[in-house]
Amino acid sequence: MQPILVFVEQANGQIKKTSLEAVSEARRQADVIKTEVVALVIAEKADAFIKDAGSYGANKVVAVEGADFKEYLTASYTRATLAVVNSVNPMAVLFSATPNGKDLAASVGAELKISVIQDCISLNYDNGAFVARRPIYAGKSIITVKALKTPVLVTLRPKVFPLGATASQTPSVEKLAVSLTADDKRVKLKEVVQSGQKKMELTEADIIVSGGRGMKAPENFKVIEELAGVLNAAVGASRAAVDSGWRPHTDQVGQTGKTVCPTLYVACGISGAIQHLAGMSSSKCIVAINKDPEAPIFKVANYGVVGDLFEVVPALCTELKKN
Amino acid sequence: MNIITCIKRVPSTETNVRVGSDGKSLETSGVEYILSPFDEIALEESLRVKEKLIAAEQSGVPANVGSDVTAITVGTPDAATTLRTCLAMGADKAVHIKDADAYKRDPFAVASALASVIKTMPYNLILCGKQAVDDDNSQVGAMLARLLNIPFVSLITKLEISGTNALVQREISGGYEVLEVTLPAVLTAQKGLNEPRYPSLKGIMGAKKKPLEEKTATFDSATIETIKMEYPPSRPAGRVVGKGVEAVPELVKLLKEEAKII
């Protein structure tokens, strides 16, 4: 049986948690199909990632190493991924639905003449074909799709697929040499700017505290940031807050922003426009704090507090700190 | 400088999605359509690049002759309306790859149809939205770049053209990158790149006289089949814990003991 290949993404020298979720899912699929999991590591030095990939269930790691692969660039990573796909002949290639994972999957798809099943929330192997579910219209609807060609290319939405049990097995390692062409080097990375350790990526955060039009002014977001600090959460915003220039567009949750599914989503001063609800309504638990008892956000909130966020949010911080 | 912007006609973001009678596609009756918001940002950037080049030329810097913005789509016959919107915003011409089944096409089929037509056109830069807001597929741009064998950068939030290079900022998890790209290239637009303009009355009137060319393309067969479309699981009815700060201790208790998430 052909193996399942899973792309392992790294950030700052560490495997991303969402890639461990992808390896875990590959293991579950492989156990059903009775096949092997091969992890694909592309890095300047791959050794640091091999053990982690193995402990979440990879039987084998194929590593493409070198200075050319230090940072993610679409063309070089596509070249490396294609070389490994040709070498291991997988039935499926799993990526995380991160900015780079989606980018790479699509680029590889073009070479294989296969469309990617992007942002999957479930995957099943049924009668010889993969069937996946994925949200569309930012989560207003969910479609079930079937892959008609192999390998199936899928990206898995972060935080949806649980981490598997860790195993102590050491995977076998194969290093594959891949050289780039001049065409692969037409994009040069000049600089990487990280917004600091505290800036958590919304799509990968466990808890999100968001502010909307009710925040009234950019400086008032310090109330939200304080609660986010207490909860170790990422800060989000509604389109109204972003379009008013109070928050950067990267904070926007909704149909023209990010679709998120954290464990806890705290919506402060957000009325709940349909585009916002689409982006956050797959959160496991929603708390809404809003002055207007008629606000649509209360229809989707597990717990609502009707009141002035400038009183309720600080009180919530104090109460949480007490415990 | 010839700039091509790939666009898509999509249901308005205010649409309440309803599943059609076939159980696997959108019920289209009563749905209002718009230019996909990220494509609108891509088109706006194309217009700004052109305007900057014209301004530079007027101030004596020799620019590429004949700066031209073309909006192109793979769309059903009614997508012509959306192309007219692009012309009204300021695009110089539009190309409509007519396809009655456009909404059912795979990303690869769409990308290869676009590539087959774009190959016959002059271009220095191709801009696309990072994704269409209906199928959320985020793949056509990346695929188009591979099919045309030109460089690709997704999710750009800043663009500066200098000669035959572009300097771009690209959004990544927790920050951004600065990249230098040789042109021609495909770039996909992320929110934050610009604020799209509204078409002016003059633009709307002028759009009627601008060329809108119809093209045909052959489509690759689908590699993904939609089996079912459904609504997301409904959430339990909302529950108000209480009013004001008095409700806070109860809220924290519920989050701990009932929801068990903090």
Side-chain angles (χ1 to χ4, degrees):
Chain A
M1 192 61 103
Q2 293 165 277
I4 294 176
L5 183 66
V6 52
F7 170 66
V8 166
E9 195 176 334
Q10 37 140 341
N12 309 318
Q14 286 197 312
I15 289 194
K16 287 187 78 128
K17 184 167 172 248
T18 169
S19 283
L20 295 176
E21 294 166 10
V23 175
S24 303
E25 181 59 19
R27 181 73 263 159
R28 282 188 288 271
Q29 296 294 332
D31 286 344
V32 172
I33 301 163
K34 310 268 183 283
T35 189
E36 297 213 306
V37 173
V38 179
L40 163 60
V41 176
I42 306 174
E44 186 175 31
K45 278 275 174 206
D47 292 351
F49 313 108
I50 290 167
K51 191 166 161 283
D52 276 346
S55 61
Y56 282 89
N59 304 91
K60 180 178 176 180
V61 173
V62 179
V64 179
E65 291 181 315
D68 284 337
F69 303 105
K70 185 164 186 255
E71 305 284 358
Y72 176 84
L73 286 166
T74 311
S76 57
Y77 272 54
T78 300
R79 180 77 60 200
T81 305
L82 287 168
V84 175
V85 166
N86 287 331
S87 163
V88 308
N89 186 28
M91 64 194 303
V93 190
L94 273 49
F95 306 77
S96 293
T98 55
N100 289 351
K102 286 159 96 173
D103 182 303
L104 178 61
S107 185
V108 168
E111 294 288 333
L112 300 174
K113 299 188 187 304
I114 294 173
S115 295
V116 179
I117 306 176
Q118 207 80 284
D119 229 2
C120 292
I121 55 170
S122 76
L123 192 60
N124 285 295
Y125 188 72
D126 186 23
N127 279 329
F130 280 97
V131 173
R133 292 169 73 243
R134 59 180 299 264
I136 54 172
Y137 301 99
K140 288 178 189 170
S141 177
I142 292 171
I143 52 170
T144 303
V145 297
K146 183 177 164 182
L148 303 176
K149 276 198 175 177
T150 50
V152 55
L153 305 173
V154 297
T155 65
L156 306 178
R157 173 169 288 202
K159 307 207 60 59
V160 172
F161 296 87
L163 286 176
T166 54
S168 58
Q169 65 171 354
T170 307
S172 64
V173 179
E174 181 190 329
K175 295 201 175 177
L176 197 70
V178 174
S179 49
L180 301 181
T181 67
D183 279 357
D184 297 334
K185 297 182 180 182
R186 293 176 291 185
V187 179
K188 288 186 182 64
L189 184 67
K190 311 288 274 186
E191 195 185 354
V192 179
V193 182
Q194 291 289 346
S195 315
Q197 285 294 330
K198 280 197 168 174
K199 184 85 178 176
M200 235 180 286
E201 178 61 22
L202 281 172
T203 52
E204 296 164 31
D206 280 326
I207 303 179
I208 295 171
V209 185
S210 274
R213 198 187 298 278
M215 298 309 298
K216 293 185 183 138
E219 59 272 18
N220 292 336
F221 267 85
K222 64 177 187 289
V223 179
I224 299 284
E225 277 160 0
E226 196 189 336
L227 179 57
V230 174
L231 289 169
N232 191 26
V235 174
S238 72
R239 179 179 164 178
V242 170
D243 285 354
S244 301
W246 302 343
R247 299 298 293 180
H249 70 91
T250 45
D251 287 359
Q252 188 182 324
V253 172
Q255 200 165 0
T256 53
K258 297 192 168 116
T259 309
V260 297
C261 45
T263 313
L264 174 62
Y265 188 89
V266 186
C268 309
I270 292 177
S271 64
I274 183 170
Q275 299 95 329
H276 189 78
L277 297 183
M280 49 67 91
S281 57
S282 64
S283 305
K284 290 176 189 74
C285 180
I286 297 170
V287 170
I289 300 163
N290 200 299
K291 273 203 286 203
D292 176 9
E294 303 299 319
I297 191 84
F298 286 121
K299 291 204 171 64
V300 302
N302 300 66
Y303 306 112
V305 175
V306 178
D308 184 349
L309 76 94
F310 296 109
E311 293 168 9
V312 176
V313 174
L316 185 54
C317 286
T318 311
E319 185 71 22
L320 287 166
K321 279 186 205 159
K322 260 196 239 168
N323 292 274
Chain B
M1 182 88 148
N2 292 296
I3 308 161
I4 294 174
T5 312
C6 306
I7 64 114
K8 188 177 183 187
R9 176 178 169 86
V10 298
S12 157
T13 56
E14 285 169 26
T15 301
N16 269 310
V17 168
R18 286 172 297 137
V19 179
S21 56
D22 65 353
K24 51 185 179 182
S25 64
L26 179 78
E27 169 59 54
T28 52
S29 68
V31 171
E32 189 198 333
Y33 286 83
I34 57 165
L35 169 59
S36 186
F38 298 108
D39 298 346
E40 194 178 18
I41 296 170
L43 178 62
E44 173 65 34
E45 198 63 21
S46 304
L47 299 172
R48 288 185 189 199
V49 169
K50 177 190 163 177
E51 284 158 2
K52 270 190 205 164
L53 288 171
I54 290 172
E57 197 170 26
Q58 281 166 352
S59 67
V61 181
N64 298 319
V65 179
S67 287
D68 201 310
V69 174
T70 306
I72 185 168
T73 195
V74 170
T76 51
D78 54 10
T81 320
T82 312
L83 287 172
R84 289 282 174 211
T85 304
C86 297
L87 294 170
M89 279 176 73
D92 300 287
K93 56 185 180 189
V95 176
H96 188 176
I97 303 171
K98 258 194 180 175
D99 174 31
D101 292 327
Y103 290 118
K104 297 178 196 161
R105 294 292 179 197
D106 268 6
F108 181 73
V110 171
S112 55
L114 281 170
S116 69
V117 172
I118 290 174
K119 268 179 189 160
T120 67
M121 299 162 60
Y123 62 87
N124 307 90
L125 176 64
I126 300 173
L127 281 156
C128 309
K130 67 153 182 159
Q131 70 191 73
V133 299
D134 54 355
D135 59 25
D136 291 338
N137 254 316
S138 349
Q139 353 189 356
V140 167
M143 289 182 159
L144 185 57
R146 291 305 293 192
L147 294 167
L148 295 171
N149 186 29
I150 58 177
F152 174 70
V153 181
S154 60
L155 303 168
I156 67 159
T157 52
K158 196 174 176 186
L159 169 64
E160 278 169 34
I161 305 283
S162 74
T164 56
N165 284 335
L167 201 65
V168 301
Q169 278 186 12
R170 170 177 185 256
E171 189 182 318
I172 53 169
S173 298
Y176 68 89
E177 298 170 336
V178 182
L179 302 136
E180 191 177 46
V181 191
T182 60
L183 299 180
V186 177
L187 309 173
T188 71
Q190 167 65 302
K191 195 165 176 177
L193 180 60
N194 57 48
E195 282 297 327
R197 70 194 65 187
Y198 291 103
S200 63
L201 186 60
K202 191 175 161 224
I204 294 165
M205 299 310 287
K208 291 175 185 159
K209 293 181 202 125
K210 288 179 179 173
L212 197 164
E213 199 181 344
E214 286 180 10
K215 296 264 188 186
T216 52
T218 50
F219 288 87
D220 288 85
S221 52
T223 59
I224 297 170
E225 181 193 349
T226 300
I227 296 170
K228 190 165 66 169
M229 177 173 173
E230 58 197 322
Y231 300 105
S234 58
R235 297 191 66 87
R239 165 175 158 199
V240 172
V241 177
K243 286 187 178 175
V245 292
E246 290 78 28
V248 167
E250 178 67 9
L251 172 64
V252 172
K253 190 171 161 231
L254 288 166
L255 288 174
K256 281 195 171 168
E257 292 169 15
E258 191 178 82
K260 296 186 170 60
I261 47 177
I262 55 168

